[in-house]
Amino acid sequence: MQAQDYERYNRQMILPQFGEEGQHKLLQAKVLVVGAGGLGCPVLQYLTAAGVGEIGIIDDDIISLSNLHRQVLYTTDDLNKYKTEVAADKLKRLNPSVTFHVFTERLTNSNAIDIISRFDIVADGTDNFAARYIINDACVLLQKPFVNAAISRFEGQVAVFNLLTPSGPSVNYRDLFPAPPTHALNCEEAGVLGVLPGIIGSLQANEVIKVITGIGQPLINRLLTFNALNNSFYQLDIILNEEGRKLIPANIAAFLDMDYEVLCSSSSHPEIDITVDELKELQQKEKVTILDVREMNEVPTIEEDHLRIPLRLLKNKPPAVTANTIVAVCHMGIRSAEAVKILKEIYGSAKKIYNLKGGILSWQKYLYKKQQHA
Amino acid sequence: MKVSVLTFGEVADIVNASSFDLKDVEDTDTLKQLLEDKFPRLKETRYAVAVDKKIVNQNVTLEDASIVALLPPFSGG
């Protein structure tokens, strides 16, 4: 440890339970933070400030205006830039002695094993179930502990999973939730109070630090829930769930063969999905009507000509479309897939109807990349 | 005999209450069936069940003053 480290980390090192030993453990630790969003921001900030030796940041998203009310590491000047790059840049200034590993990509079962292997512990702050089950299964196969946190509206959940204890690895996410739900709301659809990920992400960072330094009682075999409206914390014991264990791939080969996107039906609908590139090609060939099915207040707005009818009104208010091809768009491509089903009921085979895979988020990324190459 | 039910996240939205009491429900399967009959959307939702702060994976007999919690997973980050 260098002389200035004693000063920088003084206030935690003088804690008797923490001491020089705790600081040494942090400086040696390698933590992967998956998702640099609402939860990822506070987790990254506190782990960097506390002096974790190496931090991996994985996220493929760019910063949108609607992120800023809760993703407090970013500022208005950072709009349309990659979260990973902006985060690493700011965090380096917070603590230059931390080594950052930036992965500007989505965590998938193809890259998860390689990336997670390089770290000691994972903090899951993702915004979708596919990634949550990928992290769980990969960590179980690689025998890595991970701290899971998740939020919805005014509520959050935190737990430490798969930590090696004298009686074997502690419970994992599949002991609590054996299989993903077919549909659950994410922040874009459900809304979230800005301060909530700050609270839950801070609890998550706290658990990471406790696991690394071995102090206190981490949330092993337990789930902590918090409700921001009535300030209630609730803790529950979790036990091994045979049904959940059976669903974990038996080995890495089986893990690589799993289709987590389809399993979680989050954003993959192969029969109807088209990419932004495919949409552009289609527009060269024929007249295409773009139908935005988000609520009227949702941003960003599509700049091209388009129709906007929120999904919940679509059934009762079929759009007046003259084009033979319709491409439905929403924020992430989940609601628009529902819209495609409704439109197919209305038009049958009279029109070709597609879903824009990844929604407006993919479109933004496409435009950003195009602008960078220009 | 009376049990208390606590609901979280989407489950609270579906049953339109975050806590309520139920009378004469003998076990967790009966409780789930009762609620799913009354609120069909609950059938499409996955949720963990806890009795007296312990997650249960099988049907569990309820006693007077048992507290049952219904917790869906959250995906937001």
Side-chain angles (χ1 to χ4, degrees):
Chain A
M1 215 181 297
Q2 295 172 351
Q4 62 175 15
D5 288 347
Y6 285 91
E7 189 175 347
R8 181 184 281 269
Y9 307 120
N10 174 275
R11 298 300 190 276
Q12 61 194 30
M13 285 174 68
I14 59 175
L15 296 166
Q17 299 89 332
F18 195 95
E20 190 167 339
E21 195 193 339
Q23 192 60 52
H24 190 72
K25 285 177 179 166
L26 280 185
L27 291 169
Q28 296 296 312
K30 298 174 187 173
V31 182
L32 177 67
V33 179
V34 188
L39 293 168
C41 284
V43 170
L44 286 165
Q45 284 170 291
Y46 278 111
L47 295 183
T48 301
V52 166
E54 294 184 35
I55 296 178
I57 313 171
I58 176 163
D59 196 306
D60 71 336
D61 213 355
I62 57 173
I63 299 161
S64 315
L65 193 55
S66 62
N67 294 149
L68 298 185
H69 90 297
R70 67 188 187 284
Q71 301 182 16
V72 293
L73 184 55
Y74 312 124
T75 63
T76 312
D77 299 335
D78 302 323
L79 290 179
N80 298 319
K81 295 177 187 163
Y82 281 110
K83 291 181 181 177
T84 46
E85 289 168 11
V86 175
D89 179 54
K90 297 197 176 178
L91 295 165
K92 268 180 212 158
R93 283 184 269 159
L94 168 60
N95 191 344
S97 62
V98 178
T99 304
F100 291 97
H101 304 276
V102 167
F103 305 92
T104 307
E105 56 194 294
R106 212 175 163 75
L107 187 80
T108 64
N109 52 334
S110 317
N111 62 17
I113 297 293
D114 175 46
I115 294 174
I116 293 174
S117 306
R118 305 184 211 179
F119 297 88
D120 308 320
I121 175 168
V122 178
D124 176 353
T126 57
D127 63 358
N128 64 88
F129 283 114
R132 291 186 179 278
Y133 283 88
I134 287 172
I135 292 168
N136 182 76
D137 295 355
C139 285
V140 170
L141 290 169
L142 296 168
Q143 299 180 309
K144 305 272 183 187
F146 68 104
V147 182
N148 173 289
I151 51 172
S152 183
R153 293 185 174 158
F154 301 100
E155 290 174 80
Q157 300 170 337
V158 188
V160 174
F161 287 127
N162 201 47
L163 181 68
L164 196 59
T165 68
S167 52
S170 66
V171 297
N172 65 62
Y173 191 58
R174 289 207 191 249
D175 288 311
L176 180 61
F177 300 117
T182 47
H183 180 71
L185 300 171
N186 59 31
C187 293
E188 276 79 26
E189 293 163 309
V192 62
L193 190 70
V195 74
L196 180 74
I199 296 168
I200 302 299
S202 299
L203 288 168
Q204 188 178 18
N206 188 42
E207 292 304 300
V208 173
I209 291 170
K210 280 157 63 187
V211 168
I212 294 169
T213 57
I215 63 170
Q217 292 87 41
L219 291 161
I220 302 168
N221 299 329
R222 276 184 300 156
L223 173 74
L224 173 69
T225 74
F226 173 70
N227 183 318
L229 288 180
N230 56 23
N231 288 306
S232 60
F233 282 98
Y234 201 67
Q235 278 193 53
L236 307 110
D237 292 332
I238 312 169
I239 52 168
L240 192 146
N241 184 338
E242 292 296 344
E243 189 201 335
R245 294 291 168 111
K246 280 184 210 152
L247 297 171
I248 299 173
N251 51 48
I252 288 171
F255 172 76
L256 294 172
D257 280 342
M258 284 262 264
D259 192 335
Y260 284 87
E261 293 285 342
V262 168
L263 192 73
C264 302
S265 68
S266 55
S267 52
S268 181
H269 317 87
E271 335 74 53
I272 52 168
D273 276 351
I274 61 167
T275 62
V276 182
D277 283 310
E278 287 164 343
L279 167 63
K280 292 289 145 194
E281 278 173 37
L282 210 57
Q283 284 176 317
Q284 299 291 323
K285 285 188 275 185
E286 56 192 291
K287 191 167 182 288
V288 176
T289 294
I290 294 166
L291 176 65
D292 184 350
V293 298
R294 294 176 300 163
E295 295 297 316
M296 299 309 283
N297 56 359
E298 282 183 77
V299 287
T301 322
I302 296 172
E303 282 170 20
E304 300 187 16
D305 269 354
H306 67 280
L307 290 175
R308 190 156 186 170
I309 303 170
L311 177 63
R312 64 190 164 81
L313 303 177
L314 197 59
K315 257 191 184 142
N316 302 322
K317 194 183 166 188
V321 179
T322 51
N324 285 325
T325 304
I326 306 174
V327 175
V329 183
C330 70
H331 195 79
M332 294 178 83
I334 299 171
R335 281 172 288 170
S336 49
E338 289 294 312
V340 171
K341 277 187 207 160
I342 295 170
L343 292 169
K344 280 186 187 278
E345 277 169 27
I346 297 170
Y347 295 111
S349 56
K351 290 186 194 295
K352 287 183 284 180
I353 303 158
Y354 299 104
N355 177 42
L356 187 72
K357 186 177 164 65
I360 195 88
L361 287 180
S362 302
W363 203 337
Q364 266 187 306
K365 266 179 241 164
Y366 170 89
L367 292 174
Y368 177 63
K369 277 182 193 158
K370 207 172 143 191
Q371 191 189 334
Q372 275 199 322
H373 289 293
Chain B
M1 118 24 166
K2 190 172 80 174
V3 301
S4 302
V5 183
L6 302 177
T7 61
F8 295 80
E10 212 182 342
V11 176
D13 291 347
I14 293 171
V15 305
N16 203 20
S18 57
S19 70
F20 53 94
D21 293 340
L22 283 177
K23 276 185 186 161
D24 304 323
V25 193
E26 62 186 276
D27 53 37
T28 48
D29 279 0
T30 312
L31 186 144
K32 282 169 77 176
Q33 194 59 54
L34 197 85
L35 291 176
E36 287 175 10
D37 287 346
K38 199 168 168 194
F39 305 99
R41 267 179 66 207
L42 208 52
K43 278 184 224 159
E44 295 158 25
T45 311
R46 282 188 204 263
Y47 54 94
V49 178
V51 177
D52 297 330
K53 299 194 171 184
K54 288 184 171 59
I55 300 282
V56 297
N57 302 323
Q58 282 156 347
N59 192 21
V60 167
T61 306
L62 297 172
E63 287 161 20
D64 190 41
S66 288
I67 298 172
V68 181
L70 309 176
L71 307 109
F74 299 154
S75 72

